[in-house]
Amino acid sequence: AQSVAQPEDQVNVAEGNPLTVKCTYSVSGNPYLFWYVQYPNRGLQFLLKYITGDNLVKGSYGFEAEFNKSQTSFHLKKPSALVSDSALYFCAVRGGGSGTYKYIFGTGTRLKVLA
Amino acid sequence: DTAVSQTPKYLVTQMGNDKSIKCEQNLGHDTMYWYKQDSKKFLKIMFSYNNKELIINETVPNRFSPKSPDKAHLNLHINSLELGDSAVYFCASRWGDPSSTDTQYFGPGTRLTVL
């Protein structure tokens, strides 16, 4: 069965410092991995995805994520956090096998960037 | 122009009532979804349609019935509303057939409160 875990409910980071939001997954076949961000009272917005190719994926707003197959991880990173990055971040996975068309979302990690 | 729109944005109703939430996308996408986000922000897929055909039907009570009159619309009807149905319901859409890994675009959400 597919699953995705975001082990931290909340991550606090000072503005200007690098940030990491963790995600690990479990799927059969090759994984398709996504990061979304949700601002208060808004829908989810796409940040980036890994389908195949380079393990380091660059996305919107200066975010990037690294796919690590051996550790089954897809951590979200940003070199220098902004207060405006404060939001709820969701990792999602879709398996590559036939019939596995569901997108499974993690429980979300609240990022707080402190001025 | 709103890509994925939902109506209403807020819905407050009494237990036992029947209500509908509408979703429309103007992106020309082939696949649409309904998700439920509970009070802890956990996001779970409910249904998915591809070209008006139901392709994902999670273990959702049969009081919930999706309807897709055409490719651009996916409505959600809920009978005999219960307190536990209170949540934010998100519609999403994307290009391609069920095996596509294209990005999902989310609507702004409908906050349903059952009293």
Side-chain angles (χ1 to χ4, degrees):
Chain A
Q2 298 172 198
S3 67
V4 60
Q6 293 180 242
E8 303 152 317
D9 288 338
Q10 182 162 315
V11 170
N12 294 330
V13 64
E15 187 175 31
N17 282 2
L19 69 87
T20 298
V21 182
K22 295 179 181 177
C23 172
T24 58
Y25 66 88
S26 173
V27 294
S28 56
N30 293 323
Y32 302 134
L33 296 153
F34 302 79
W35 274 103
Y36 286 84
V37 60
Q38 184 179 26
Y39 296 99
N41 300 315
R42 303 285 295 276
L44 278 70
Q45 296 177 33
F46 171 74
L47 279 179
L48 50 80
K49 66 181 176 183
Y50 172 83
I51 304 301
T52 187
D54 286 343
N55 290 341
L56 184 64
V57 178
K58 293 189 184 297
S60 307
Y61 312 121
F63 283 93
E64 58 188 30
E66 186 165 12
F67 170 63
N68 187 317
K69 189 171 183 178
S70 62
Q71 296 185 5
T72 62
S73 67
F74 189 57
H75 300 331
L76 181 70
K77 300 183 180 186
K78 187 173 182 180
S80 178
L82 300 172
V83 172
S84 57
D85 292 331
S86 298
L88 188 58
Y89 290 80
F90 288 96
C91 180
V93 67
R94 208 208 84 179
S98 63
T100 55
Y101 303 138
K102 290 188 298 184
Y103 290 76
I104 305 297
F105 283 79
T107 49
T109 298
R110 190 168 300 282
L111 173 67
K112 280 196 174 179
V113 181
L114 308 168
Chain B
D1 284 348
T2 305
V4 182
S5 59
Q6 295 179 227
T7 53
K9 191 169 181 181
Y10 299 97
L11 184 53
V12 181
T13 188
Q14 299 287 332
M15 260 176 34
N17 283 352
D18 303 337
K19 291 291 178 186
S20 291
I21 307 172
K22 295 185 176 181
C23 178
E24 176 181 3
Q25 53 93 4
N26 62 6
L27 299 166
H29 288 171
D30 304 300
T31 303
M32 297 184 72
Y33 302 82
W34 276 111
Y35 288 88
K36 179 181 180 180
Q37 186 175 45
D38 62 23
S39 57
K40 294 184 179 179
K41 305 298 184 184
F42 185 61
L43 196 66
K44 187 171 180 185
I45 191 167
M46 300 173 70
F47 302 103
S48 178
Y49 272 73
N50 175 254
N51 285 320
K52 302 195 299 174
E53 182 183 344
L54 182 66
I55 57 170
I56 293 174
N57 186 353
E58 283 297 277
T59 49
V60 175
N62 58 14
R63 299 181 294 103
F64 290 78
S65 53
K67 282 191 172 58
S68 183
D70 55 55
K71 218 169 69 162
H73 295 84
L74 180 61
N75 303 325
L76 183 65
H77 188 76
I78 315 170
N79 287 328
S80 303
L81 278 155
E82 300 178 356
L83 293 176
D85 298 332
S86 296
V88 181
Y89 292 83
F90 287 102
C91 177
S93 71
R94 65 165 176 79
W95 287 108
D97 63 30
S99 64
S100 166
T101 57
D102 204 63
T103 303
Q104 292 180 77
Y105 291 81
F106 282 79
T110 295
R111 183 175 295 276
L112 171 65
T113 303
V114 183
L115 303 174

